Amino acid sequence: MSIIKVNNLSVGYEGKAVATGLNFTVDEGDYLCIIGENGAGKSTLMKTLLHLIKPIEGNLEYMDGLMPYEIGYLPQHTLVQKDFPASVEEIVLSGLLSKSGLRPFYTKNEKEIAARAMNKMDITHLKKKCYRNLSGGQKQRVLLARALCATSKLLVLDEPTTGLDPKVTEEFYKLISDLNSEGLTVIMVSHDMPSAIKYSNKILLVNQTQKFFGKTLDYIDSDARKEFDGDLETVKKVERSVNKEND
């Protein structure tokens, strides 16, 4: 079942489009990886999907009763500053603010949701630690737990591994893949080829316009891929990774 349908969408700021002609669907359980050059409109598309900015033209439909506040979001530049003097538990709980409204406290059920999210991210032992004292990988797990508090349906990530070392990056991608395997739909923007796309089932290539949308394996053999990434060795690595994940 589709949860997002995009038809002839143009996205941008103040009436000026940065990406046009976007047509794609996101189905339940998808892992969609959005790729493209810097300035291609990927992050602008993300913000439009999240209702942070309005489309310039075209249609964006949320299906199956999905509401904007039910989307978990891990942005490119974290909403929580690196030196923010809050505990891990406090930051994870803040993912429930859209549900708690104006209440000055969290309910027992909300605290249990946060506890489950921390347990899933293997950061329960850090819950009283100050966020600013954590490593980069630990901080991303905290922010991911925060995003999971907001959703059980759709997780949106914008360049989530920027600044992480290769080992932590691979662990993070595997973590996202595991969440997807449990039924969480994932949309991720990334420049990190081939690691980012090897777990995906769909690719959207954007470069001011839509250059490709379809299955990851079809993308590998497409003309769009050849124009975007002509490095044969990189392509072979992607193909081997994708084939391995689909075995």
Side-chain angles (χ1 to χ4, degrees):
M1 177 184 293
S2 296
I3 60 173
I4 297 177
K5 289 186 177 180
V6 171
N7 294 295
N8 297 318
L9 189 69
S10 294
V11 299
Y13 300 91
E14 298 179 352
K16 184 177 180 180
V18 297
T20 62
L22 304 176
N23 294 275
F24 62 92
T25 59
V26 180
D27 297 328
E28 287 183 348
D30 272 351
Y31 188 144
L32 172 65
C33 193
I34 303 175
I35 59 176
E37 302 287 352
N38 288 330
K42 305 183 303 299
S43 292
T44 306
L45 171 59
M46 279 287 209
K47 292 174 183 177
T48 306
L49 293 177
L50 291 161
H51 288 261
L52 298 176
I53 58 177
K54 293 182 179 180
I56 290 178
E57 62 180 22
N59 296 312
L60 167 59
E61 292 183 86
Y62 284 92
M63 317 300 287
D64 194 31
L66 181 67
M67 303 298 291
Y69 61 79
E70 295 179 301
I71 301 173
Y73 179 41
L74 204 165
Q76 184 175 5
H77 299 291
T78 63
L79 295 176
V80 182
Q81 298 298 318
K82 292 182 179 180
D83 292 329
F84 197 76
S87 72
V88 166
E89 186 175 32
E90 288 170 334
I91 289 176
V92 174
L93 278 166
S94 71
L96 291 157
L97 287 175
S98 63
K99 299 178 181 179
S100 61
L102 299 177
R103 278 189 284 104
F105 61 89
Y106 295 102
T107 66
K108 180 181 178 181
N109 181 59
E110 288 168 343
K111 291 179 180 179
E112 288 174 350
I113 291 172
R116 288 195 295 270
M118 287 188 287
N119 183 61
K120 187 179 287 289
M121 293 298 102
D122 194 25
I123 57 171
T124 301
H125 63 293
L126 300 173
K127 68 179 184 178
K128 298 303 180 184
K129 296 284 186 180
C130 183
Y131 174 82
R132 65 185 177 188
N133 295 331
L134 303 181
S135 68
Q138 289 172 332
K139 287 178 178 177
Q140 285 300 78
R141 283 178 178 258
V142 172
L143 296 177
L144 185 52
R146 179 182 183 274
L148 291 177
C149 284
T151 187
S152 61
K153 296 182 179 181
L154 175 62
L155 180 65
V156 174
L157 309 101
D158 192 357
E159 297 286 359
T161 61
T162 299
L164 301 182
D165 66 48
K167 181 176 183 296
V168 174
T169 293
E170 182 57 31
E171 289 173 352
F172 189 83
Y173 283 134
K174 184 61 170 63
L175 190 59
I176 300 301
S177 178
D178 289 344
L179 292 172
N180 177 244
S181 297
E182 293 172 6
L184 188 64
T185 304
V186 174
I187 303 176
M188 179 190 290
V189 165
S190 182
H191 287 103
D192 188 14
M193 302 266 289
S195 297
I197 74 169
K198 75 176 182 179
Y199 296 111
S200 67
N201 71 316
K202 290 180 180 178
I203 298 293
L204 174 64
L205 173 58
V206 178
N207 188 12
Q208 281 76 59
T209 62
Q210 182 171 307
K211 300 297 185 179
F212 179 89
F213 172 66
K215 295 181 179 179
T216 301
L217 287 173
D218 292 336
Y219 168 73
I220 292 171
D221 295 324
S222 70
D223 291 338
R225 192 279 305 160
K226 294 172 185 176
E227 292 179 11
F228 175 61
D229 183 2
D231 181 349
L232 183 59
E233 185 57 34
T234 296
V235 173
K236 288 180 178 178
K237 287 180 181 179
V238 173
E239 187 169 19
R240 287 196 296 269
S241 298
V242 173
N243 284 332
K244 182 178 180 181
E245 291 301 316
N246 285 279
D247 284 343

